[in-house]
Amino acid sequence: MNNLFQQPLSVANIGLESFAKNIQQAGATVQHLHWQPPAQGNKEIGLRLAELSHCPKIEQANQIALSRYLTSQPALVDVVPAYKAIPQLMNQKRILHAGPPIQWQEMCGPMQGAIIGAILFEGWAKTTESAQLLIEQGEVFFEPCHHYNAVGPMAGIISPSMPVWVVEDMGDKHHRCFSNFNEGLGKALRFGANNPEVIKRLHWMRTELADSLSATLKLSGPIELKPIMAQALHMGDEIHNRNAAATSLFLKKLLPFLLKVKQPLEQLERVIQFITNNDHFFLNLSMAACKTMLSAAEGVPHSTMVTVMARNGVNFGIQISSLKQQWFQAPANAVKGLFFPNFGINDAAADLGDSAITETAGVGGFAMASAPAIVKFVGGTTDDALNHSVMMQNISIGKNPAFTLPTLNFTSTAVGIDIRKVIDTGILPIINTGIAHKLPGIGQIGAGITTAPMQCFTQALQAFYKTYANCK
């Protein structure tokens, strides 16, 4: 013992970081290890977690859910009006939105603005005021996109006449998922803009763009999306905030057939120009592909794998495989990142959009290591991006050999978030996302990083425990 005090101290500190700082200030070498009690110190949740850890039924169920996700083969098969893909949109004035369920009065500004725009686009009202009156009279119904196997970025609005991508699982189940079209940057409905310029563009997308793409797909046949996503990861995309490579690869697939479509050359030129001017054009396709792969993993009894993460600008919601279509919600976190000139954190809406389906499927923030070019856009360093991708392995059930990261020696992306691992480690899923202005119509004001709230996972664990208490 006497010899110990005669040697330079080298200390490992676990727990409160202030202890490490005090030792460091005293001149000793200290290595601080980040650790906190499971469930952030919640004793009840911690005890339930202990009972559910290493449960054979859960481990087996999670491997089944993960296997179904991995074997899913999403392919783009068609473009149709939303009411044809989702027949329930024909029965009432029904509009789908991003995230978990929410009432009109509680919606954030961008979502309310986007809904007003959708009502004008559908012709249900001619002015903003009359659209608002229609809503207040209870004649318009709102539901999450996820309730109909659909997803949409930011406000995520899908109304009956909007064209949607139809993505089909070419594996065993052949189920279909849907997403709206990406409008590009600037004034866009998904950020709550609803002026005549926005409505005019939506009408063009419904007619010329949708017609050309539908005709192209009839010539090309199904276009597999996983190979495009995999190649884009090797070309600097993470397929959430950066889709430049994926959009180019997709256009490369389309062009030989698009040029054979019997439509006016001027129309085809407008379609090609619209796609080439929008680096985010593939985002909605990657979202639909991710939704398709995760839908295959839904409904496995005893599985604790997360199959949905989505935000409505007020609340963050998750779903897990074994408790299909049950939402577990908590207030959405703010997004920390970089803002465009003249904007700041006080201008920002809370975390918004269904695009976190990409992180749920193991890309986006989980694949940040593949996209060093995006790091400056969302704030951070290349080391941060590498660390995010490595850290997500601690809360995931497995890896996806179809998606690999060159900067991490082609290691596979982490996939299959396990609510037990999130609660046990305290590591929250990283989400790489855009930031919308809190007022409708202003649009994107920045981009950054955020996380899913821990309360969603503890709620899910409690519900799982109630359903599967005797899992052993």
Side-chain angles (χ1 to χ4, degrees):
M1 181 64 75
N2 289 336
N3 291 336
L4 176 65
F5 292 107
Q6 294 171 1
Q7 299 172 4
L9 288 179
S10 182
V11 181
N13 181 69
I14 301 174
L16 293 177
E17 192 171 4
S18 57
F19 287 180
K21 289 179 178 176
N22 289 336
I23 296 170
Q24 203 167 28
Q25 287 171 359
T29 301
V30 58
Q31 180 66 47
H32 176 67
L33 304 177
H34 291 280
W35 181 86
Q36 60 183 8
Q40 297 179 333
N42 184 314
K43 184 178 178 182
E44 180 185 353
I45 298 294
L47 289 171
R48 290 180 175 177
L49 176 66
E51 286 188 51
L52 299 174
S53 296
H54 308 296
C55 170
K57 282 187 179 178
I58 297 177
E59 305 301 337
Q60 185 180 17
N62 282 342
Q63 289 305 314
I64 292 171
L66 181 65
S67 173
R68 291 180 182 177
Y69 159 86
L70 293 174
T71 55
S72 174
Q73 295 295 335
L76 174 63
V77 296
D78 208 349
V79 168
V80 298
Y83 69 85
K84 285 191 175 179
I86 305 168
Q88 293 89 338
L89 291 177
M90 285 194 295
N91 300 332
Q92 295 171 307
K93 292 183 175 63
R94 191 186 305 267
I95 292 177
L96 308 185
H97 62 77
I102 188 168
Q103 298 297 314
W104 166 259
Q105 296 82 356
E106 299 169 354
M107 290 179 184
C108 64
M111 186 169 284
Q112 287 189 336
I115 285 174
I116 294 286
I119 291 173
L120 297 175
F121 166 71
E122 293 292 338
W124 297 340
K126 292 185 177 179
T127 65
T128 299
E129 292 75 18
S130 56
Q132 178 104 22
L133 184 62
L134 207 62
I135 295 168
E136 292 170 354
Q137 289 173 340
E139 295 189 29
V140 185
F141 298 87
F142 310 111
E143 282 192 85
C145 294
H146 276 289
H147 288 187
Y148 297 94
N149 289 322
V151 282
M154 302 312 288
I157 300 302
I158 298 178
S159 64
S161 300
M162 289 181 182
V164 293
W165 299 111
V166 180
V167 175
E168 181 173 316
D169 187 351
M170 306 305 280
D172 292 337
K173 290 191 173 182
H174 289 276
H175 64 274
R176 291 185 165 190
C177 294
F178 318 102
S179 180
N180 51 10
F181 283 9
N182 195 290
E183 310 156 71
L185 298 175
K187 302 288 184 185
L189 189 80
R190 69 181 185 278
F191 290 112
N194 54 31
N195 61 31
E197 175 192 351
V198 173
I199 305 303
K200 181 181 177 183
R201 183 170 57 237
L202 290 176
H203 281 292
W204 177 80
M205 293 169 70
R206 179 176 64 177
T207 53
E208 282 198 0
L209 181 61
D211 289 347
S212 296
L213 292 171
S214 177
T216 302
L217 287 169
K218 286 182 173 57
L219 294 176
S220 69
I223 296 177
E224 290 190 54
L225 298 176
K226 271 168 80 171
I228 295 177
M229 296 166 71
Q231 193 172 355
L233 287 174
H234 290 185
M235 296 169 67
D237 283 358
E238 39 71 69
I239 332 177
H240 183 170
N241 246 324
R242 191 176 195 276
N243 285 276
T247 297
S248 300
L249 292 168
F250 179 64
L251 184 60
K252 190 177 169 184
K253 290 273 186 185
L254 283 184
L255 271 179
F257 304 98
L258 184 59
L259 295 175
K260 292 179 182 177
V261 169
K262 294 179 180 177
Q263 290 176 344
L265 181 60
E266 298 79 11
Q267 178 173 329
L268 299 181
E269 286 176 348
R270 285 191 289 271
V271 168
I272 293 170
Q273 188 176 37
F274 183 78
I275 298 174
T276 54
N277 287 344
N278 180 10
D279 281 346
H280 289 292
F281 190 76
F282 191 81
L283 168 63
N284 299 45
L285 278 164
S286 73
M287 290 172 58
C290 291
K291 176 65 181 173
T292 304
M293 292 186 283
L294 289 162
S295 292
E298 289 180 336
V300 179
H302 292 94
S303 173
T304 53
M305 176 174 158
V306 177
T307 50
V308 170
M309 293 197 294
R311 318 85 99 199
N312 57 29
V314 177
N315 290 325
F316 194 111
I318 72 167
Q319 295 181 3
I320 64 173
S321 174
S322 57
L323 303 177
K324 184 179 178 182
Q325 295 188 343
Q326 287 189 41
W327 287 101
F328 305 103
Q329 303 181 50
N333 290 330
V335 182
K336 297 177 182 177
L338 296 180
F339 289 87
F340 300 160
N342 303 320
F343 294 107
I345 187 70
N346 293 331
D347 301 309
D351 196 16
L352 174 65
D354 285 334
S355 55
I357 196 71
T358 56
E359 278 79 9
T360 320
V363 289
F366 281 49
M368 281 283 284
S370 73
I374 200 70
V375 169
K376 284 294 181 184
F377 184 52
V378 299
T381 66
T382 304
D383 286 344
D384 291 334
L386 295 173
N387 289 335
H388 288 324
S389 292
V390 172
M391 192 182 298
M392 293 303 101
Q393 295 176 8
N394 295 314
I395 58 171
S396 299
I397 297 166
K399 295 182 179 180
N400 185 352
F403 297 153
T404 56
L405 305 172
T407 51
L408 289 176
N409 199 24
F410 292 93
T411 188
S412 301
T413 54
V415 71
I417 302 165
D418 186 339
I419 57 171
R420 298 174 305 165
K421 293 186 177 184
V422 172
I423 296 168
D424 189 23
T425 63
I427 298 173
L428 296 167
I430 292 286
I431 297 168
N432 168 11
T433 188
I435 304 173
H437 197 285
K438 63 185 178 184
L439 299 177
I442 296 176
Q444 185 172 1
I445 60 172
I449 297 290
T450 189
T451 57
M454 175 61 83
Q455 298 96 309
C456 294
F457 300 92
T458 55
Q459 284 179 29
L461 188 85
Q462 286 178 309
F464 180 91
Y465 185 85
K466 188 176 180 181
T467 306
Y468 297 104
N470 299 316
C471 77
K472 295 182 179 179

